[in-house]
Amino acid sequence: MASRNDVATSPGTGAADQADARIEISGLTKRFLTPAGEVFTALSGVSFTVEPGQFCAVVGPTGCGKSTTLSMVSGLDRPSEGSVRVGGREVDGITDGVSFMFQTDALLPWKTVLGNVLMGPVFRRVPKRQAQASARDWLRRVGLAGFEDRYPHQLSGGMRKRVAMAAALINEPRILIMDEPFGALDVQTKAIMSTELLNLWEQIRPSVIFITHDLDEAVALADRVVVMTSGPGSVKAVFDIDLPRPRGSVQEIRFQPRFIELQHQIWDTLREEVERAYALTAGGTA
Ligand SMILES: Nc1ncnc2c1ncn2[C@@H]1O[C@H](COP(=O)(O)OP(=O)(O)OP(=O)(O)O)[C@@H](O)[C@H]1O
Ligand SMILES: [Mg+2]
Protein backbone atom coordinates (compact mmCIF):
# COMPACT_ATOMS: atom_id res chain seq x y z
CA MET A 1 0.00 0.00 0.00
CA ALA A 2 1.22 3.48 -0.78
CA SER A 3 2.26 5.76 2.01
CA ARG A 4 1.36 9.44 2.04
CA ASN A 5 4.81 10.15 0.58
CA ASP A 6 3.96 8.33 -2.64
CA VAL A 7 1.32 10.86 -3.42
CA ALA A 8 2.21 14.42 -4.21
CA THR A 9 0.57 17.14 -2.19
CA SER A 10 0.05 20.76 -3.07
CA PRO A 11 0.80 23.55 -0.65
CA GLY A 12 -1.95 23.65 1.90
CA THR A 13 -3.06 20.05 1.40
CA GLY A 14 -2.59 16.84 3.31
CA ALA A 15 -3.12 18.29 6.76
CA ALA A 16 -6.46 16.75 7.52
CA ASP A 17 -5.61 16.25 11.17
CA GLN A 18 -4.78 19.90 11.68
CA ALA A 19 -6.85 22.95 12.31
CA ASP A 20 -6.57 24.11 8.69
CA ALA A 21 -9.10 21.46 7.79
CA ARG A 22 -11.81 22.91 10.04
CA ILE A 23 -14.84 24.30 8.20
CA GLU A 24 -16.88 26.90 10.06
CA ILE A 25 -20.09 28.04 8.45
CA SER A 26 -21.69 30.87 10.33
CA GLY A 27 -24.85 32.84 9.67
CA LEU A 28 -24.71 31.95 5.99
CA THR A 29 -27.44 33.67 4.02
CA LYS A 30 -27.78 33.64 0.26
CA ARG A 31 -30.17 35.71 -1.80
CA PHE A 32 -30.61 35.44 -5.55
CA LEU A 33 -32.25 37.85 -7.92
CA THR A 34 -35.00 36.11 -9.89
CA PRO A 35 -35.50 36.83 -13.61
CA ALA A 36 -38.54 38.92 -12.56
CA GLY A 37 -36.21 41.10 -10.49
CA GLU A 38 -37.41 39.84 -7.12
CA VAL A 39 -35.14 38.84 -4.29
CA PHE A 40 -35.28 35.13 -3.49
CA THR A 41 -33.75 33.93 -0.24
CA ALA A 42 -32.30 30.45 -0.72
CA LEU A 43 -30.43 30.18 2.59
CA SER A 44 -31.03 31.92 5.85
CA GLY A 45 -28.51 31.96 8.69
CA VAL A 46 -26.98 28.52 8.20
CA SER A 47 -24.39 27.71 10.87
CA PHE A 48 -22.50 24.50 11.53
CA THR A 49 -18.92 23.37 11.96
CA VAL A 50 -17.04 20.42 10.53
CA GLU A 51 -14.07 19.51 12.68
CA PRO A 52 -10.78 18.51 11.04
CA GLY A 53 -11.05 14.98 9.69
CA GLN A 54 -14.75 14.76 10.46
CA PHE A 55 -17.29 13.24 8.05
CA CYS A 56 -20.36 15.47 8.01
CA ALA A 57 -23.47 14.53 6.05
CA VAL A 58 -26.11 17.12 5.16
CA VAL A 59 -29.70 16.08 4.49
CA GLY A 60 -32.68 18.22 3.67
CA PRO A 61 -35.58 18.46 1.25
CA THR A 62 -35.00 19.25 -2.40
CA GLY A 63 -34.40 22.94 -3.03
CA CYS A 64 -33.48 23.77 0.57
CA GLY A 65 -30.07 25.12 -0.42
CA LYS A 66 -27.64 22.24 0.11
CA SER A 67 -25.77 22.71 -3.17
CA THR A 68 -25.81 26.47 -2.66
CA THR A 69 -24.10 25.96 0.70
CA LEU A 70 -21.40 23.86 -0.95
CA SER A 71 -20.76 26.44 -3.64
CA MET A 72 -19.89 28.90 -0.89
CA VAL A 73 -17.68 26.44 0.98
CA SER A 74 -15.75 25.79 -2.23
CA GLY A 75 -15.52 29.50 -3.03
CA LEU A 76 -17.44 29.21 -6.32
CA ASP A 77 -20.02 31.68 -5.02
CA ARG A 78 -20.11 34.30 -2.27
CA PRO A 79 -22.52 34.65 0.64
CA SER A 80 -24.97 37.55 0.84
CA GLU A 81 -24.42 37.53 4.59
CA GLY A 82 -22.41 35.45 7.03
CA SER A 83 -19.21 33.61 6.32
CA VAL A 84 -17.46 30.37 5.61
CA ARG A 85 -14.07 29.94 7.22
CA VAL A 86 -11.70 27.16 6.28
CA GLY A 87 -8.79 26.72 8.64
CA GLY A 88 -9.73 30.01 10.28
CA ARG A 89 -9.52 31.98 7.02
CA GLU A 90 -12.56 33.40 5.35
CA VAL A 91 -13.24 31.80 1.97
CA ASP A 92 -13.12 34.42 -0.77
CA GLY A 93 -12.26 32.40 -3.87
CA ILE A 94 -11.36 28.86 -4.82
CA THR A 95 -9.80 27.30 -1.75
CA ASP A 96 -6.56 25.33 -1.86
CA GLY A 97 -6.69 21.69 -0.87
CA VAL A 98 -10.38 21.15 -1.67
CA SER A 99 -11.57 18.29 -3.91
CA PHE A 100 -15.08 17.75 -5.25
CA MET A 101 -17.35 14.96 -6.35
CA PHE A 102 -20.75 15.61 -7.86
CA GLN A 103 -23.74 13.54 -8.89
CA THR A 104 -22.92 13.92 -12.56
CA ASP A 105 -19.59 12.60 -13.77
CA ALA A 106 -16.98 15.27 -14.09
CA LEU A 107 -14.70 13.06 -16.21
CA LEU A 108 -13.31 14.32 -19.49
CA PRO A 109 -14.63 11.95 -22.20
CA TRP A 110 -11.61 12.40 -24.47
CA LYS A 111 -9.12 11.41 -21.79
CA THR A 112 -8.38 7.87 -20.69
CA VAL A 113 -9.04 6.68 -17.15
CA LEU A 114 -5.37 7.30 -16.34
CA GLY A 115 -5.46 10.71 -18.04
CA ASN A 116 -8.47 11.74 -15.96
CA VAL A 117 -6.85 10.73 -12.68
CA LEU A 118 -3.61 12.45 -13.70
CA MET A 119 -5.24 15.83 -14.11
CA GLY A 120 -4.86 16.95 -10.49
CA PRO A 121 -1.15 16.11 -10.24
CA VAL A 122 -0.53 17.66 -13.69
CA PHE A 123 -2.19 20.91 -12.57
CA ARG A 124 0.02 20.85 -9.52
CA ARG A 125 3.09 20.34 -11.71
CA VAL A 126 4.03 17.03 -10.12
CA PRO A 127 6.87 15.43 -12.16
CA LYS A 128 5.42 13.11 -14.81
CA ARG A 129 6.82 9.81 -13.55
CA GLN A 130 5.75 10.50 -9.99
CA ALA A 131 2.28 11.59 -11.16
CA GLN A 132 1.85 8.45 -13.28
CA ALA A 133 2.94 6.18 -10.44
CA SER A 134 0.55 7.93 -8.08
CA ALA A 135 -2.37 7.73 -10.56
CA ARG A 136 -1.77 4.01 -11.12
CA ASP A 137 -1.62 3.46 -7.39
CA TRP A 138 -4.93 5.27 -6.86
CA LEU A 139 -6.56 3.32 -9.66
CA ARG A 140 -5.43 0.14 -7.96
CA ARG A 141 -6.86 1.33 -4.66
CA VAL A 142 -10.27 1.91 -6.24
CA GLY A 143 -10.16 -1.50 -7.92
CA LEU A 144 -9.48 -0.33 -11.47
CA ALA A 145 -6.01 -1.74 -12.12
CA GLY A 146 -5.99 -2.89 -15.75
CA PHE A 147 -8.50 -0.24 -16.88
CA GLU A 148 -6.01 2.62 -17.20
CA ASP A 149 -6.33 2.92 -20.98
CA ARG A 150 -10.11 2.78 -21.24
CA TYR A 151 -12.22 5.86 -21.95
CA PRO A 152 -15.09 6.90 -19.67
CA HIS A 153 -17.77 5.74 -22.17
CA GLN A 154 -16.31 2.24 -21.97
CA LEU A 155 -17.00 2.00 -18.24
CA SER A 156 -20.08 1.25 -16.14
CA GLY A 157 -21.60 4.00 -13.97
CA GLY A 158 -20.01 2.47 -10.86
CA MET A 159 -16.61 2.31 -12.53
CA ARG A 160 -16.85 5.96 -13.57
CA LYS A 161 -17.53 6.82 -9.92
CA ARG A 162 -14.39 4.93 -8.96
CA VAL A 163 -12.39 7.01 -11.43
CA ALA A 164 -13.95 10.19 -10.04
CA MET A 165 -13.09 9.05 -6.52
CA ALA A 166 -9.46 8.35 -7.48
CA ALA A 167 -9.28 11.74 -9.25
CA ALA A 168 -10.58 13.50 -6.13
CA LEU A 169 -8.44 11.63 -3.60
CA ILE A 170 -5.14 11.61 -5.50
CA ASN A 171 -4.79 15.25 -4.47
CA GLU A 172 -4.92 14.18 -0.81
CA PRO A 173 -7.37 16.98 -0.12
CA ARG A 174 -7.74 18.42 3.35
CA ILE A 175 -11.39 18.97 2.46
CA LEU A 176 -13.63 16.78 0.34
CA ILE A 177 -16.94 18.15 -0.85
CA MET A 178 -19.45 15.66 -2.21
CA ASP A 179 -22.84 16.58 -3.66
CA GLU A 180 -24.93 13.40 -3.99
CA PRO A 181 -21.93 11.60 -5.48
CA PHE A 182 -23.66 8.22 -5.64
CA GLY A 183 -27.19 9.51 -6.26
CA ALA A 184 -27.38 8.11 -9.78
CA LEU A 185 -26.24 4.58 -8.90
CA ASP A 186 -28.36 1.50 -8.26
CA VAL A 187 -28.80 0.51 -4.62
CA GLN A 188 -26.22 -2.29 -4.54
CA THR A 189 -23.50 -0.38 -6.38
CA LYS A 190 -24.15 2.60 -4.15
CA ALA A 191 -23.61 0.49 -1.01
CA ILE A 192 -20.36 -0.92 -2.42
CA MET A 193 -19.11 2.54 -3.41
CA SER A 194 -20.03 3.98 -0.01
CA THR A 195 -18.08 1.24 1.77
CA GLU A 196 -15.09 1.91 -0.48
CA LEU A 197 -15.34 5.64 0.12
CA LEU A 198 -15.24 5.03 3.88
CA ASN A 199 -12.13 2.84 3.56
CA LEU A 200 -10.32 5.45 1.47
CA TRP A 201 -11.45 8.32 3.69
CA GLU A 202 -10.01 6.47 6.69
CA GLN A 203 -6.63 6.39 4.94
CA ILE A 204 -6.47 10.16 4.26
CA ARG A 205 -9.01 11.60 6.70
CA PRO A 206 -10.01 14.81 4.94
CA SER A 207 -12.87 16.81 6.45
CA VAL A 208 -15.93 15.86 4.42
CA ILE A 209 -19.22 17.53 3.63
CA PHE A 210 -21.40 14.91 1.99
CA ILE A 211 -24.82 15.82 0.68
CA THR A 212 -27.36 13.08 0.20
CA HIS A 213 -31.09 12.43 0.03
CA ASP A 214 -30.51 8.97 1.42
CA LEU A 215 -30.75 9.09 5.21
CA ASP A 216 -29.42 5.53 5.60
CA GLU A 217 -26.34 6.53 3.65
CA ALA A 218 -25.88 9.63 5.81
CA VAL A 219 -26.07 7.68 9.08
CA ALA A 220 -23.88 4.83 7.82
CA LEU A 221 -21.08 7.14 6.68
CA ALA A 222 -21.06 10.20 8.88
CA ASP A 223 -19.82 11.35 12.28
CA ARG A 224 -22.40 14.11 12.23
CA VAL A 225 -25.65 14.60 10.32
CA VAL A 226 -26.94 18.11 9.71
CA VAL A 227 -30.67 18.32 8.96
CA MET A 228 -31.76 21.39 7.01
CA THR A 229 -35.20 22.96 6.93
CA SER A 230 -37.20 23.43 3.76
CA GLY A 231 -36.35 26.67 1.95
CA PRO A 232 -35.09 29.14 2.82
CA GLY A 233 -32.68 26.60 4.24
CA SER A 234 -31.43 26.81 7.77
CA VAL A 235 -30.09 24.22 10.17
CA LYS A 236 -32.90 22.40 11.93
CA ALA A 237 -30.85 19.93 13.97
CA VAL A 238 -27.43 18.37 14.20
CA PHE A 239 -27.03 14.71 15.22
CA ASP A 240 -23.78 13.12 16.34
CA ILE A 241 -23.48 9.56 15.06
CA ASP A 242 -21.81 7.47 17.72
CA LEU A 243 -21.50 4.24 15.70
CA PRO A 244 -17.95 2.90 16.17
CA ARG A 245 -15.32 3.06 13.43
CA PRO A 246 -14.15 1.46 11.31
CA ARG A 247 -17.73 0.92 10.22
CA GLY A 248 -17.03 -1.93 7.80
CA SER A 249 -19.76 -2.74 5.30
CA VAL A 250 -22.33 0.00 4.83
CA GLN A 251 -24.93 -2.60 3.94
CA GLU A 252 -24.47 -4.54 7.16
CA ILE A 253 -24.31 -1.60 9.54
CA ARG A 254 -27.98 -0.95 8.71
CA PHE A 255 -29.03 -3.93 10.81
CA GLN A 256 -27.43 -2.67 14.02
CA PRO A 257 -29.96 -1.55 16.65
CA ARG A 258 -28.13 1.74 17.26
CA PHE A 259 -28.20 2.50 13.53
CA ILE A 260 -31.95 1.94 13.41
CA GLU A 261 -32.48 4.09 16.49
CA LEU A 262 -30.48 7.01 15.04
CA GLN A 263 -32.15 6.64 11.66
CA HIS A 264 -35.59 6.90 13.29
CA GLN A 265 -34.63 9.93 15.38
CA ILE A 266 -33.29 11.83 12.38
CA TRP A 267 -36.16 10.83 10.13
CA ASP A 268 -38.63 12.22 12.71
CA THR A 269 -36.91 15.59 12.31
CA LEU A 270 -36.47 15.43 8.56
CA ARG A 271 -39.92 14.13 7.64
CA GLU A 272 -41.68 17.36 8.60
CA GLU A 273 -39.38 19.37 6.33
CA VAL A 274 -39.73 16.99 3.41
CA GLU A 275 -43.53 17.13 3.74
CA ARG A 276 -43.49 20.92 3.93
CA ALA A 277 -41.28 21.20 0.83
CA TYR A 278 -43.53 18.77 -1.02
CA ALA A 279 -46.66 20.69 -0.05
CA LEU A 280 -45.09 23.93 -1.31
CA THR A 281 -44.14 22.38 -4.64
CA ALA A 282 -47.52 20.73 -5.04
CA GLY A 283 -49.20 24.04 -4.15
CA GLY A 284 -47.07 25.88 -6.68
CA THR A 285 -48.07 23.60 -9.52
CA ALA A 286 -51.76 23.31 -8.63
N1 LIG B 1 -28.04 30.90 -9.41
C1 LIG B 1 -29.28 30.86 -8.91
N2 LIG B 1 -30.18 31.82 -9.19
C2 LIG B 1 -31.42 31.79 -8.66
N3 LIG B 1 -31.86 30.83 -7.82
C3 LIG B 1 -31.01 29.85 -7.51
C4 LIG B 1 -29.67 29.79 -8.03
N4 LIG B 1 -29.07 28.68 -7.52
C5 LIG B 1 -29.98 28.07 -6.74
N5 LIG B 1 -31.14 28.76 -6.72
C6 LIG B 1 -32.36 28.44 -5.95
O1 LIG B 1 -31.97 28.25 -4.61
C7 LIG B 1 -32.69 27.19 -4.02
C8 LIG B 1 -31.73 26.19 -3.45
O2 LIG B 1 -31.08 25.51 -4.51
P1 LIG B 1 -30.04 24.33 -4.27
O3 LIG B 1 -29.60 23.86 -5.60
O4 LIG B 1 -29.01 24.79 -3.33
O5 LIG B 1 -30.96 23.25 -3.55
P2 LIG B 1 -30.60 21.77 -3.06
O6 LIG B 1 -30.92 21.70 -1.61
O7 LIG B 1 -29.23 21.42 -3.48
O8 LIG B 1 -31.68 20.90 -3.86
P3 LIG B 1 -31.58 19.39 -4.44
O9 LIG B 1 -31.70 18.50 -3.24
O10 LIG B 1 -32.75 19.28 -5.34
O11 LIG B 1 -30.27 19.26 -5.14
C9 LIG B 1 -33.59 26.62 -5.11
O12 LIG B 1 -34.88 27.16 -4.96
C10 LIG B 1 -32.96 27.11 -6.39
O13 LIG B 1 -33.92 27.30 -7.40
MG1 LIG C 1 -28.44 20.03 -4.84
Side-chain angles (χ1 to χ4, degrees):
M1 185 193 295
S3 72
R4 288 181 71 93
N5 295 335
D6 297 328
V7 182
T9 57
S10 66
T13 66
D17 49 347
Q18 294 168 18
D20 67 353
R22 178 178 286 112
I23 307 165
E24 293 165 281
I25 299 173
S26 71
L28 199 63
T29 295
K30 182 66 181 175
R31 290 182 281 267
F32 292 111
L33 213 51
T34 65
E38 287 161 1
V39 173
F40 172 78
T41 305
L43 285 177
S44 176
V46 169
S47 300
F48 65 93
T49 299
V50 184
E51 297 300 336
Q54 193 173 49
F55 198 123
C56 176
V58 178
V59 295
T62 178
C64 75
K66 302 180 293 298
S67 298
T68 303
T69 304
L70 285 196
S71 67
M72 285 179 283
V73 175
S74 62
L76 290 169
D77 202 352
R78 285 164 199 268
S80 308
E81 276 173 50
S83 68
V84 179
R85 300 176 83 81
V86 170
R89 290 175 52 184
E90 189 154 340
V91 172
D92 67 349
I94 303 297
T95 315
D96 243 6
V98 180
S99 283
F100 307 87
M101 238 182 112
F102 300 105
Q103 180 170 5
T104 46
D105 291 332
L107 303 179
L108 297 178
W110 61 87
K111 279 192 182 281
T112 61
V113 163
L114 187 69
N116 269 285
V117 177
L118 270 172
M119 287 207 307
V122 166
F123 274 127
R124 289 183 285 112
R125 300 179 191 282
V126 174
K128 198 172 169 192
R129 279 174 67 119
Q130 193 186 340
Q132 293 239 356
S134 170
R136 287 181 190 281
D137 176 58
W138 272 99
L139 284 168
R140 186 187 52 73
R141 290 201 214 185
V142 299
L144 284 180
F147 291 88
E148 291 84 355
D149 297 330
R150 296 246 191 138
Y151 287 88
H153 78 272
Q154 296 170 319
L155 303 176
S156 70
M159 288 160 102
R160 283 200 294 272
K161 286 292 168 199
R162 288 169 199 266
V163 179
M165 213 145 74
L169 292 173
I170 194 172
N171 301 315
E172 292 219 353
R174 60 187 163 134
I175 290 167
L176 182 59
I177 289 177
M178 306 179 98
D179 196 349
E180 301 186 55
F182 307 137
L185 298 177
D186 68 85
V187 176
Q188 288 84 13
T189 310
K190 186 175 178 179
I192 292 167
M193 294 305 300
S194 305
T195 304
E196 291 191 3
L197 170 66
L198 267 192
N199 289 335
L200 295 170
W201 169 75
E202 271 157 12
Q203 291 171 30
I204 308 179
R205 287 303 287 258
S207 314
V208 176
I209 302 186
F210 184 99
I211 288 178
T212 179
H213 279 113
D214 180 343
L215 185 52
D216 280 11
E217 187 182 37
V219 177
L221 295 178
D223 298 307
R224 178 171 284 181
V225 175
V226 173
V227 178
M228 288 182 66
T229 63
S230 54
S234 59
V235 173
K236 181 166 190 184
V238 178
F239 293 85
D240 285 322
I241 308 299
D242 55 8
L243 296 166
R245 291 195 189 275
R247 300 253 168 106
S249 160
V250 163
Q251 216 143 20
E252 275 159 38
I253 201 168
R254 293 167 200 222
F255 303 115
Q256 290 184 14
R258 181 63 183 148
F259 177 96
I260 295 166
E261 199 179 340
L262 284 163
Q263 205 269 5
H264 279 177
Q265 269 175 26
I266 303 174
W267 175 240
D268 272 348
T269 309
L270 177 60
R271 181 178 46 208
E272 217 174 87
E273 300 306 319
V274 172
E275 284 170 359
R276 187 172 302 149
Y278 179 74
L280 281 175
T281 321
T285 55

